[in-house]
Amino acid sequence: MRASKPGRVGVAWAVRERPLSDRAVRAAVRAALSHGGRSGIEVEVALVSDRRLASIHGRFLDDPSVTDVISFDLGSAGGGAVGEIYVSVDRARKVARERGDDPASELRLYLVHGALHLCGFDDRTPQDRLRMRAAESIVLSGRASPRAALRGTRRPRPYKKIEKS
């Protein structure tokens, strides 16, 4: 196991198409983490296919449907990454095409969304969704401010791996 390095954002591509550079991936995640008050944590980002993300979704969250992004807060256990973000590059490409946008912008949104989840933002209730969308907008526009972001958020609960038989 690799030693933890505060503020490190690891990037792993499991798909051929790369709408963003590794540097752009790191920048999007770091901006969201800074906005959410967790800029010092180590995060691993995996950019995967729809099929791979649906498999992760089913295995760990009991929902095998296709989704765009999943985040896991691992707490500080083990001296490694504190968070993991899995993003579907396929989903970004499909949704961008439907909206007439570019895949890079859609992928950047998913990265920011996933990182904000690691900062305690949620999107389960209408009020939570409004806070999440506002934070996404601020981060994506480059106007991120850590203190403003923390109002109304909860500290994320560490993810506990559930082994399926």
Side-chain angles (χ1 to χ4, degrees):
M1 182 182 287
R2 182 175 63 239
S4 181
K5 183 177 177 186
R8 181 184 171 281
V9 177
V11 179
W13 293 88
V15 293
R16 284 186 184 182
E17 181 184 357
R18 295 182 177 202
L20 291 173
S21 67
D22 288 3
R23 184 178 182 182
V25 169
R26 287 185 189 96
V29 170
R30 284 184 178 131
L33 292 174
S34 175
H35 184 69
R38 292 193 85 190
S39 59
I41 69 169
E42 180 182 354
V43 176
E44 293 293 331
V45 178
L47 297 116
V48 300
S49 66
D50 270 352
R51 184 176 179 172
R52 178 73 177 125
L53 195 55
S55 171
I56 293 166
H57 200 206
R59 182 172 180 201
F60 296 102
L61 300 174
D62 251 353
D63 180 357
S65 64
V66 174
T67 190
D68 48 16
V69 61
I70 298 175
S71 298
F72 296 107
D73 188 323
L74 305 175
S76 57
V82 172
E84 294 178 345
I85 302 171
Y86 295 85
V87 181
S88 173
V89 176
D90 294 341
R91 182 79 11 221
R93 185 181 63 251
K94 290 174 188 172
V95 171
R97 186 173 47 239
E98 290 169 6
R99 293 181 178 166
D101 203 356
D102 69 298
S105 295
E106 192 68 18
L107 192 56
R108 196 173 284 111
L109 170 63
Y110 297 169
L111 290 162
V112 167
H113 184 90
L116 288 171
H117 272 304
L118 294 177
C119 297
F121 284 84
D122 206 346
D123 54 3
R124 293 181 189 191
T125 69
Q127 187 177 9
D128 288 343
R129 267 190 298 283
L130 284 173
R131 279 191 204 104
M132 176 68 88
R133 298 297 170 260
E136 289 167 353
S137 179
I138 289 167
V139 172
L140 291 167
S141 71
R143 298 177 289 127
S145 153
R147 288 189 357 198
L150 294 175
R151 286 188 216 118
T153 62
R154 294 181 287 285
R155 207 71 198 140
R157 283 178 254 133
Y159 166 76
K160 293 186 181 173
K161 187 174 181 180
I162 301 167
E163 289 298 324
K164 295 245 179 182
S165 41

